[in-house]
Amino acid sequence: MSGVTFNRNRVKLKKLLGIRARLALLAVILVAPLMLERARSLEDTRAKQIAAASEEFANITQHSADTQREVISSVETMLKSAAYIRASGGIARSCEILRASLPTNLPWIRSIMFVSKDGLVQCSTLNMQVGLSLGDREYFKKTQATRDFVFSDYLFGKTNGRPMMLAAYPVAAINPEEDAVVVAGINIDWLSKIMTNLGGRPGISSLLVDSTGVVIAAPSDQSSMIGRPLDNVPLLAAIAEKALGSDAPTGSLSFTASDGSKRTISFARIPGTQSRLIVSIDEARVTAAINREIRTAYLQLGFVCLFVLLGALVGAEKLIIGPIELMTGMARRFGEGDWSARVARSRLPSEFVPLARAFNAMAAQLSQRERELVATNDRLTVMASIDMLSGLANRRGFQSRLDFEWMKAQQYDSELSLLMIDVDHFKLYNDTYGHPEGDACLSRLGETLAVIAADTVGFAGRYGGEEFCLLLPNTETARALEIGEMVRAAVQVLGLPHATSSHQTVTVSVGVACTRPNDSQSSGDLIEAADAALYAAKHRGRNAVVEHGFVRMVDEAGMALAG
């Protein structure tokens, strides 16, 4: 009787300690330490999130400072363009160009003036400013003394009394014989609009101050601070001296404000000015959201634990889930490009072996097909970059090589030259001899250019139609002109008959451009310069080589913007 009772109890114990119960017990043993670790890690997360928030606002501060710098740079560029106009002509002609040159896409420039050396406004885009005296302004004196771009502090306009800032640039910086000064009035409302991404955030104060500490710009929700000294701004008076006295371009510091709140500020100097962007963070208000997230994380952790326990109760399904996960992992590896991924049938129950065998067979077939596709794509990529008629690179291949050589020249600070080559009167050639002969002509030119490219370590391509190009890395203008003449002469020496041409043979016009790539230029600028030179070569009677100074082209573009 006692043996029967023992057996019954053992059966009940086995049922009680079945696989689900064992997995549930194991889950509790595993989750309990995780909960304790989670409690500790949440506090670490809070500290990291505070640091991340500070870093985020420091980055936002720097970004806003960079945006302000771009505005200042646009003002400086506009003033230099106006100064160039003034240095190139008399006051009357300069005024006409000035009034027509104020760009509508720079709304932060309120007006531009030409001012004599004694401070009298000679000409302005706003007629009411003509005759005003600016000789007593500090920025005006400073720009005359330094002969450089100067950005003023916060001041009030003499015509309307409105708060504004002014920028000045002396014409003497371009032409020492000219003593006039170009002055631009800056709309500080636009400086505030640029700071909109710093507004509307709880616990955040952001201000743009001049060298004396006067607030010159702020987000719309803090606009009441504009015009006030930083010493009179609540919560920031304690750090005014440190922020304004620092010579570093950027910085940050922590302090306890007058209301007892712990705050952190980030500041950044606006290049080209004495202004600084200051962003103050109230850590208590910023971390309020983080604390809510931590409480939410605790609730989430509780739900996770509950689901883990429920999952453990059905853990016996692992006998099915495990093999599926194994095969899924192999499929994922295969999908990510591991063509050697195969399912080991020895690790699977016998029911999954046929599926694994089918998967491995499919993987072998797909792997072979993928290798074939890769090889085909490689061949197609090469073919897509070659012009089949001339045997040279096509426009796509040329552009790819130009972008590569542009970055390389910029990295090593070397020169890069480009020849744009056009067959003279090619349409007449096709009309006279027919398109087959035209294609044969282009093929001969391609062969000739390929030889010259090999001899000059250049890269030749067919840019389109009857237009070719020759890219010459690390080649200065003089050498590029020599190679251009080499191309022109080589084509003429071919002696391909062209009855409708004044030269009676096929000739080419060559445009040459050379530059030293930098951040202010792009590869498209080099193409435009070479095209302009090619256009000039055609207008000189064709069968000519013309160089278009790249630096002059950039200057002329600047003049076009000013005009």
Side-chain angles (χ1 to χ4, degrees):
M1 185 67 178
S2 60
V4 173
T5 303
F6 175 76
N7 289 334
R8 288 177 179 175
N9 291 335
R10 187 173 62 179
V11 171
K12 292 180 180 179
L13 183 62
K14 284 183 177 181
K15 290 181 179 180
L16 181 63
L17 297 178
I19 188 169
R20 288 182 176 86
R22 294 174 190 176
L23 290 175
L25 180 61
L26 178 61
V28 171
I29 294 174
L30 293 175
V31 168
L34 291 176
M35 292 179 65
L36 296 176
E37 175 62 20
R38 178 63 174 170
R40 185 192 64 81
S41 66
L42 283 173
E43 297 302 323
D44 292 340
T45 301
R46 179 181 182 277
K48 291 177 181 178
Q49 287 180 333
I50 293 175
S54 298
E55 182 179 359
E56 175 192 1
F57 286 111
N59 291 336
I60 292 175
T61 302
Q62 186 59 48
H63 174 72
S64 296
D66 290 342
T67 304
Q68 298 280 8
R69 177 190 58 79
E70 292 175 5
V71 171
I72 302 306
S73 296
S74 69
V75 174
E76 183 177 359
T77 300
M78 193 62 198
L79 288 185
K80 289 182 177 179
S81 298
Y84 187 92
I85 294 170
R86 181 65 180 85
S88 302
I91 183 64
R93 176 60 178 163
S94 301
C95 285
E96 291 178 4
I97 299 176
L98 176 67
R99 290 192 175 95
S101 65
L102 185 63
T104 57
N105 60 344
L106 299 179
W108 44 83
I109 299 181
R110 179 177 292 172
S111 63
I112 299 181
M113 300 166 274
F114 287 140
V115 185
S116 66
K117 67 176 182 178
D118 56 356
L120 290 179
V121 178
Q122 299 173 317
C123 174
S124 173
T125 55
L126 295 178
N127 292 330
M128 68 178 66
Q129 294 176 336
V130 176
L132 287 178
S133 175
L134 305 180
D136 59 335
R137 297 292 198 183
E138 287 298 323
Y139 69 88
F140 184 83
K141 298 175 181 178
K142 185 175 180 180
T143 194
Q144 287 184 316
T146 62
R147 289 199 171 186
D148 202 356
F149 175 78
V150 172
F151 202 79
S152 77
D153 287 331
Y154 183 92
L155 48 80
F156 294 91
K158 290 192 173 185
T159 57
N160 53 18
R162 294 176 60 184
M164 62 187 306
M165 301 183 76
L166 291 102
Y169 186 79
V171 180
I174 297 176
N175 184 354
E177 297 180 2
E178 293 287 342
D179 53 11
V181 175
V182 186
V183 178
I186 310 302
N187 187 346
I188 62 175
D189 293 340
W190 269 94
L191 301 181
S192 296
K193 289 181 180 180
I194 295 174
M195 300 171 63
T196 53
N197 62 339
L198 293 172
R201 298 169 181 255
I204 305 299
S205 297
S206 55
L207 305 170
L208 183 66
V209 300
D210 63 16
S211 62
T212 63
V214 176
V215 178
I216 58 178
S220 57
D221 58 339
Q222 302 167 31
S223 59
S224 61
M225 298 184 183
I226 296 177
R228 297 169 58 184
L230 196 60
D231 289 334
N232 296 337
V233 176
L235 307 180
L236 295 180
I239 53 85
E241 183 176 352
K242 294 181 180 179
L244 296 176
S246 174
D247 293 328
T250 61
S252 62
L253 55 92
S254 299
F255 68 101
T256 300
S258 57
D259 61 352
S261 61
K262 187 176 181 181
R263 304 183 72 90
T264 300
I265 71 162
S266 298
F267 60 90
R269 184 189 296 270
I270 310 300
T273 74
Q274 295 299 314
S275 303
R276 290 173 175 81
L277 181 65
I278 300 176
V279 177
S280 170
I281 305 171
D282 184 345
E283 292 186 3
R285 296 186 65 183
V286 171
T287 56
I290 299 176
N291 291 332
R292 288 195 298 271
E293 293 178 4
I294 292 176
R295 289 193 295 270
T296 302
Y298 273 112
L299 293 175
Q300 292 174 345
L301 180 60
F303 282 111
V304 168
C305 293
L306 177 62
F307 283 112
V308 167
L309 291 174
L310 292 175
L313 294 176
V314 292
E317 303 301 325
K318 185 174 177 60
L319 294 174
I320 298 174
I321 295 174
I324 293 177
E325 289 181 343
L326 177 62
M327 297 187 66
T328 301
M330 291 299 105
R332 185 181 298 110
R333 285 178 51 191
F334 190 85
E336 292 173 351
D338 184 0
W339 310 121
S340 64
R342 298 293 186 273
V343 177
R345 289 176 290 175
S346 59
R347 298 174 58 186
L348 296 175
S350 59
E351 291 84 355
F352 286 88
V353 171
L355 181 60
R357 188 183 296 116
F359 174 84
N360 290 341
M362 179 190 67
Q365 294 177 0
L366 290 176
S367 178
Q368 177 62 28
R369 188 171 300 173
E370 181 67 20
R371 285 192 292 270
E372 294 173 357
L373 287 173
V374 169
T376 301
N377 285 337
D378 290 341
R379 290 193 296 270
L380 289 175
T381 299
V382 173
M383 293 174 62
S385 299
I386 299 297
D387 175 57
M388 304 308 294
L389 177 62
S390 65
L392 304 176
N394 59 17
R395 186 166 184 169
R396 174 183 175 185
F398 165 75
Q399 185 63 52
S400 177
R401 182 60 176 264
L402 174 59
D403 292 340
F404 170 76
E405 293 295 345
W406 184 271
M407 290 187 294
K408 183 178 176 182
Q410 190 171 3
Q411 179 181 1
Y412 292 100
D413 193 29
S414 60
E415 292 182 302
L416 184 64
S417 294
L418 175 64
L419 275 60
M420 297 300 290
I421 306 158
D422 190 76
V423 182
D424 296 330
H425 304 298
F426 188 73
K427 184 179 184 304
L428 294 176
Y429 186 94
N430 271 338
D431 293 341
T432 304
Y433 299 98
H435 288 281
E437 284 297 320
D439 291 345
C441 173
L442 294 179
S443 179
R444 290 289 305 277
L445 294 182
E447 294 172 0
T448 302
L449 280 178
V451 173
I452 295 176
D455 293 340
T456 59
V457 196
F459 182 83
R462 183 182 177 192
Y463 198 72
E466 68 272 21
E467 192 171 9
F468 296 82
C469 51
L470 181 58
L471 187 63
L472 301 171
N474 200 25
T475 302
E476 71 281 0
T477 303
R479 177 57 179 162
L481 286 170
E482 293 177 4
I483 297 173
E485 180 60 29
M486 186 188 306
V487 170
R488 187 202 64 77
V491 173
Q492 192 166 18
V493 167
L494 290 176
L496 298 176
H498 191 347
T500 56
S501 170
S502 60
H503 300 282
Q504 296 299 303
T505 60
V506 173
T507 59
V508 293
S509 298
V510 183
V512 180
C514 179
T515 187
R516 191 179 296 273
N518 56 64
D519 291 335
S520 65
Q521 303 170 356
S522 68
S523 59
D525 295 333
L526 183 60
I527 295 176
E528 291 180 5
D531 269 333
L534 177 60
Y535 183 82
K538 291 180 179 180
H539 275 263
R540 291 188 185 181
R542 293 183 168 82
N543 193 26
V545 180
V546 174
E547 176 263 338
H548 190 288
F550 191 78
V551 173
R552 293 198 300 275
M553 187 202 74
V554 174
D555 289 341
E556 291 169 5
M559 286 291 293
L561 173 64

